[in-house]
Amino acid sequence: MFFYFYSVKTNAYYIRRCIELAKYGLGTTYPNPMVGCVIVYNDRIIGEGWHKKAGEPHAEVLAIASVKDQSLLKKSTIYVTLEPCSHFGKTPPCSDLIIEKKIPKIVIGTIDPFAKVSGMGVKKLLAANRTVTVGVCENECEDLNKRFFTFHRKKRPYIILKWAETEDDFIAPKNQSEHEIFWITNSFAQQLVHKWRSEEQSILVGTQTASIDNPKLNVRHWNGQDPTRVVIDKSLSLDKSLSLFDSSQPTLVFHHRDAKPTHKSSIIYEGLDFGTNILPQLLRRLHHHELQSIIIEGGAQTLQSFIDADLWDEARVFTGLNKVSNGLKGPVLKAQASETQDIEGDTLNYYYND
């Protein structure tokens, strides 16, 4: 007598594979979420797909198209990180395609928070007598699309705070020359920051940082899309020769509503009421512009204002090896680091505002 031992992979196993695939779309799918999909027959993956860019085929479409023997679809299970869409947008509904291909079982990581989809895809599949399982690795699937979920649930972008400081908490020398950046971190950390910029939709600095550092706020040391630049310039005092105004990428300038901007192509001016807290106003305007995520890169006062208002989701703080003898103090964040990385000698701490 012979005994054969084998392991049947669980739903969680396949959803985690979907998550791996979906992550390839980080930074390229906006305004759509990242979605991964696999199709399984007899405990074997026969098709895979992930969403690459808005307007292009969704993950389910690509996964179905990748199956060589289409007759197997009638006996397969389709796994997807996010509820299949049920409405006509730039592409037809994925739930209709799943029904058309007679796929009998659907396993979904989490429900789509987008009002035009939320729950409707599942209802359509159930109405077609399909077996639907929802909520497999749900927290992981929501974390995958934390930007998308925050945007639709909280009506604001996902907010990432980022700064670099010395071991004694300085972020810059007090006598820093104008337009001359003092680098606290090494080149590897600087390249990582540019990778982050390619993954988010927008990036914000305050008036002082824009004036003193003259940052470009683009992606130079990594391949990817430049984010929309956002600057707070209450009295519109910033010199128009600064890099922020070079028209090389979309730029939003937030100013006092009584100030009179001089409009320039590709620069959008937004007036705020500086007599009240401007941050909720600013975030509402960013939501209006459909920006799902933003990195706050400085300066210390701007970063601290987001911390004090408890308007942040994640903070990424470098501690560099370079020294400052007489410097400007960085923001104060009273939180415990959730993760620490070594970046070729520099330390990177991640904080999450749960």
Side-chain angles (χ1 to χ4, degrees), residues 110-294:
T110 188
I111 296 294
D112 193 328
F114 183 41
K116 289 185 178 180
V117 180
S118 187
M120 301 305 295
V122 169
K123 286 182 180 178
K124 185 177 280 191
L125 293 168
L126 290 172
N129 296 316
R130 299 301 192 266
T131 300
V132 181
T133 302
V134 179
V136 177
C137 301
E138 186 169 20
N139 290 339
E140 293 170 60
C141 289
E142 287 199 12
D143 185 66
L144 167 72
N145 280 304
K146 56 194 176 186
R147 300 159 181 84
F148 184 76
F149 275 78
T150 298
F151 181 81
H152 286 285
R153 287 177 175 170
K154 298 185 177 181
K155 308 303 179 187
R156 65 162 175 80
Y158 186 85
I159 301 168
I160 300 170
L161 309 180
K162 171 261 159 186
W163 73 89
E165 60 187 22
T166 63
E167 291 179 347
D168 41 6
D169 305 326
F170 293 133
I171 62 168
K174 279 188 177 177
N175 58 350
Q176 181 177 344
S177 301
E178 190 169 335
H179 298 175
E180 182 180 322
I181 299 176
F182 174 81
W183 293 107
I184 290 173
T185 55
N186 60 45
S187 60
F188 297 97
Q190 292 160 30
Q191 185 180 40
L192 178 58
V193 169
H194 282 245
K195 177 179 182 291
W196 292 343
R197 289 178 180 179
S198 75
E199 296 168 352
E200 310 307 331
Q201 276 196 289
S202 56
I203 182 169
L204 179 147
V205 294
T207 309
Q208 283 190 313
T209 298
S211 178
I212 296 171
D213 292 348
N214 190 23
K216 293 182 173 65
L217 302 182
N218 59 12
V219 178
R220 301 186 300 282
H221 305 306
W222 197 265
N223 292 324
Q225 177 91 16
D226 287 330
T228 294
R229 297 179 294 206
V230 182
V231 62
I232 300 172
D233 184 13
K234 179 180 177 180
S235 58
L236 295 176
S237 60
L238 289 173
D239 192 318
K240 297 304 181 289
S241 67
L242 293 171
S243 297
L244 285 169
F245 302 105
D246 64 9
S247 299
S248 63
Q249 63 204 83
T251 302
L252 276 164
V253 179
F254 286 95
H255 59 88
H256 193 287
R257 63 186 179 185
D258 293 334
K260 303 300 181 187
T262 302
H263 290 277
K264 183 178 179 181
S265 123
S266 84
I267 308 295
I268 299 173
Y269 291 89
E270 293 273 9
L272 301 177
D273 179 6
F274 276 75
T276 61
N277 187 356
I278 66 164
L279 297 188
Q281 302 174 61
L282 183 150
L283 294 174
R284 282 196 296 271
R285 298 311 300 163
L286 295 179
H287 184 271
H288 173 77
H289 286 284
E290 298 188 344
L291 296 169
Q292 291 185 11
S293 65
I294 187 163

Side-chain angles (χ1 to χ4, degrees), residues 47-62:
E48 292 188 335
W50 53 277
H51 185 44
K52 298 177 176 64
K53 188 177 181 181
E56 294 186 5
H58 289 188
E60 299 95 318
V61 175
L62 294 172

Side-chain angles (χ1 to χ4, degrees), residues 196 315-319 337-341 347-351:
W196 292 343
R316 303 169 183 177
V317 183
F318 291 98
T319 302
S338 298
E339 181 184 349
T340 300
Q341 291 181 355
T347 301
L348 171 60
N349 285 314
Y350 289 87
Y351 303 84

